[in-house]
Amino acid sequence: MGSLVGHVLPGLGFFLVGLWHILNHIKLHALHPNSYTAPPWFPSPKFKYLELYLIMGGCLASIAMELFIGPDRHHPFDTDGTIPSYHLRNFEHSSISLAFFVYGAFAIVLDRIRAKAQHELTQFLGCIAFAQQLLLFHLHSTDHMGLEGQYHLLLQFVVLVSLTTALIGIGFPKSFFVIFVRSLSIFFQGVWFMVMGFMLWTPGLVPKGCTLNDEDGHFIVRCSGEEVLNRAKSLVNIMFSWFLVGIAIFGVSLYLVLDKIYGKKVEYFSLESEEDQQPGGDQSDDIESQKKKCGLGGSMNFVLMEKSALLPIDMER
């Protein structure tokens, strides 16, 4: 990070992952509103782990850029083997990427070995990544008083929402609203990262009275006085509020469109006799497995219902 490209590319990653999750969660909820359970990630149609591999690849690229490509001597350490102060931010950024890489790697491992608590553990690692991100942005070694610090402060609020909803989602995986807000907050992170990149490292977009200065190899916006700085921060606050409202409108509008498209689809429910049900046992929510059982044995009866007419049915004997 610390540059236009260093913010736009990670922002694009958050943007795409957030959008991918929003689309899939809305579709899944629209098709199966009664049996909806939020997965921590979604397999792609042709390559199952594409989402996770892209996350891991992006994290490795970010770590390489921060520690080995970006520095002038192509390594992050000083001549005596210590970390110079102007490279602390590089280690902070790469530590965030490392946490998300661990999330992606273990999500694949947990899925391949089919661990019993794979969804909970995968979401737990996602929470760790968001917590790492929030901690390091809050304790960032860059100037917290300047304009860049204001962008990072507002970003922390969005990350906090991602972390909070991710934690709540572990205990309430069937809550569409919690997962919807989490996905939208990840999407918002991506948007705000890209906005930071363009607004802080494009000279023509720097607020009036502020300039872009090279300090220890990092370009930082400095304002000429306290009044100018306060004005610049106020502009950032106004812009953030506009994006907040705009993304809320985008999320709700997208839900209405996709729900109208997929909401007319039908959902299958199995009607089992009392002899087939275990006392106190839970019926399976896996729609696909129900279809397979029907096709193999023909012992299960299915009733086709429109989603708008989903009501409890008493079976007559």
Side-chain angles (χ1 to χ4, degrees), residues 89-155:
R89 71 190 72 188
N90 299 92
F91 277 89
E92 293 166 351
H93 297 158
S94 60
S95 296
I96 295 172
S97 299
L98 177 62
F100 282 104
F101 177 86
V102 170
Y103 157 79
F106 272 93
I108 295 175
V109 172
L110 290 168
D111 182 73
R112 291 184 68 88
I113 67 175
R114 299 190 180 278
K116 295 181 180 179
Q118 61 172 303
H119 287 182
E120 292 82 357
L121 291 175
T122 301
Q123 293 192 33
F124 167 73
L125 291 173
C127 293
I128 293 296
F130 287 131
Q132 175 91 305
Q133 184 185 19
L134 180 61
L135 175 68
L136 291 177
F137 278 141
H138 182 70
L139 303 176
H140 210 281
S141 58
T142 56
D143 184 10
H144 288 269
M145 304 303 295
L147 187 62
E148 184 177 352
Q150 188 68 15
Y151 277 98
H152 279 96
L153 175 62
L154 296 173
L155 176 63

Side-chain angles (χ1 to χ4, degrees), residues 18 20 73 118 121 145 180 188 232 237 265 278:
W20 171 253
R73 295 188 301 275
Q118 61 172 303
L121 291 175
M145 304 303 295
F180 177 76
F188 194 0
N237 296 338
K265 303 290 184 179
Q278 297 294 331

